Amino acid sequence: MANETNVNVEKTYTIGGDLTVHRMGYGAMRITGEGIWGPPKDRDEAIRVLQRAVELGINFIDTADSYGPDVSEELIAEALYPYPSDLVIATKGGLLRTGPNEWPINAHPDHLQKALEGSLQRLRLDRIDLYQLHRVDPAVPFEKTLAFLQRVQEQGLVRHIGLSEVSVAQIEKAREYVQVVSVQNKYSIDNREWEPVLQYCKAQGMAFVPWYPLSAGHVQALEKLNQVGQKYNASAHQIALSWLLHHAPNILLIPGTSKVKHLEVNVKASAVSLSQEDLAELEKIRAADVSG
């Protein structure tokens, strides 16, 4: 018989050695308008989502100046300021917005300076706990961008620095300038293109924050997730989130939603303790790795 012993996972992770957060966080991209553009359809519900997240014990919220743009950060401050002492707000800079679903990259220091100043103002903070470079800009020497991040950290405007959508080589280059405490790459149970980056982060003591953690884009993956979910009275998406928590102890989850009900469903995934047998079955879901 297979071992049906459930596997316990760590509930918290400490970012950069001094910011301890629950591993189930919240991604605040979806509290904006369609195409991540403009205000949300239901502003009151967006405020309720943020407040409910904190009530549920979430103390890691991920956002960006480009979400809206500006809207997500403004709503976070409106809903939650003055902030709970243990709340970590991570934001990002490095993308422009020219319209719905349009995301040109700009990681030039001049733009990042304005972006950071705007984020500090909107979030009503003197210092960003975790500031993440949203994208490496092919039009700007990486060294110039890194020198900017190094400078604002030295100035005390940023506590810790993270990166997004980067390779191991790019992380290593960045570490010549700053301590990198987190990496946010696209990753899910059926899209593991960045597995080497995850494992590198794990070895180096960095948080790994998967964005789009619920892609589950192919039929076989959904069938497997639903099959396992039936044993736990859980949805496919809850199992996909739970698998991430089991897969590596440095993974922080930031599933996003604009609905309180959906938020509560996502948070329940952190209570699902999977068995060794089911983890082995879920490990076989890799077919979309090369889907692009």
Side-chain angles (χ1 to χ4, degrees):
M1 293 290 289
N3 181 8
E4 280 289 354
T5 305
N6 286 12
V7 178
N8 292 320
V9 297
E10 291 292 328
K11 298 295 185 185
T12 62
Y13 183 84
T14 302
I15 303 169
D18 61 357
L19 295 175
T20 298
V21 297
H22 293 116
R23 294 176 63 203
M24 177 62 77
Y26 173 71
M29 184 171 77
R30 300 288 172 192
I31 53 170
T32 60
E34 192 171 343
I36 321 303
W37 183 259
K41 273 185 182 176
D42 189 339
R43 185 183 183 87
D44 290 342
E45 180 74 354
I47 295 291
R48 283 193 292 269
V49 167
L50 290 161
Q51 293 172 340
R52 182 64 177 144
V54 171
E55 287 174 5
L56 290 169
I58 288 173
N59 65 341
F60 179 64
I61 295 178
D62 178 83
T63 185
D65 73 313
S66 56
Y67 297 165
D70 305 346
V71 173
S72 177
E73 291 179 330
E74 290 168 351
L75 288 172
I76 288 168
E78 181 181 336
L80 299 175
Y81 188 86
Y83 302 116
S85 59
D86 66 339
L87 180 64
V88 175
I89 300 173
T91 194
K92 299 180 283 292
L95 294 180
L96 299 172
R97 296 307 306 279
T98 52
N101 294 315
E102 295 175 6
W103 307 83
I105 299 172
N106 186 347
H108 190 281
D110 291 347
H111 170 70
L112 290 175
Q113 182 72 42
K114 291 175 185 174
L116 175 57
E117 289 171 357
S119 290
L120 286 163
Q121 185 177 22
R122 286 183 292 275
L123 290 167
R124 307 179 201 175
L125 292 170
D126 296 321
R127 179 179 66 177
I128 302 293
D129 275 337
L130 176 57
Y131 195 68
Q132 303 157 102
L133 178 66
H134 216 150
R135 291 292 184 275
V136 176
D137 189 341
V140 176
F142 196 22
E143 293 82 358
K144 287 184 71 171
T145 300
L146 293 169
F148 167 83
L149 294 172
Q150 183 183 51
R151 184 172 72 251
V152 294
Q153 188 174 41
E154 289 170 354
Q155 292 170 344
L157 300 176
V158 170
R159 186 172 189 167
H160 291 299
I161 289 168
L163 304 171
S164 180
E165 284 302 283
V166 285
S167 64
V168 169
Q170 288 170 324
I171 301 169
E172 290 183 333
K173 180 65 177 177
R175 293 178 78 190
E176 296 175 14
Y177 290 78
V178 294
Q179 180 189 4
V180 178
V181 303
S182 67
V183 171
Q184 187 169 150
N185 281 16
K186 187 177 183 179
Y187 185 87
S188 65
I189 192 168
D190 67 339
N191 186 347
R192 305 193 212 174
E193 177 189 352
W194 292 114
E195 186 74 31
V197 173
L198 166 59
Q199 296 304 327
Y200 175 86
C201 290
K202 181 180 173 182
Q204 299 297 324
M206 302 174 189
F208 184 87
V209 187
W211 65 269
Y212 203 32
L214 297 173
S215 62
H218 62 295
V219 173
Q220 295 92 333
L222 282 171
E223 285 179 354
K224 182 82 71 178
L225 288 164
N226 277 315
Q227 185 181 2
V228 172
Q230 287 173 8
K231 297 184 184 182
Y232 299 88
N233 193 27
S235 69
H237 281 185
Q238 286 174 318
I239 296 299
L241 289 172
S242 179
W243 176 84
L244 286 163
L245 292 173
H246 285 75
H247 184 59
N250 62 320
I251 285 179
L252 304 181
L253 296 184
I254 53 166
T257 178
S258 60
K259 303 291 184 184
V260 169
K261 188 175 180 180
H262 189 202
L263 169 75
E264 292 171 347
V265 169
N266 286 341
V267 169
K268 285 179 181 175
S270 62
V272 177
S273 180
L274 298 169
S275 70
Q276 292 280 13
E277 180 187 39
D278 289 326
L279 283 170
E281 279 299 305
L282 292 168
E283 195 59 37
K284 298 172 185 176
I285 301 177
R286 306 182 69 104
D289 286 7
V290 294
S291 65

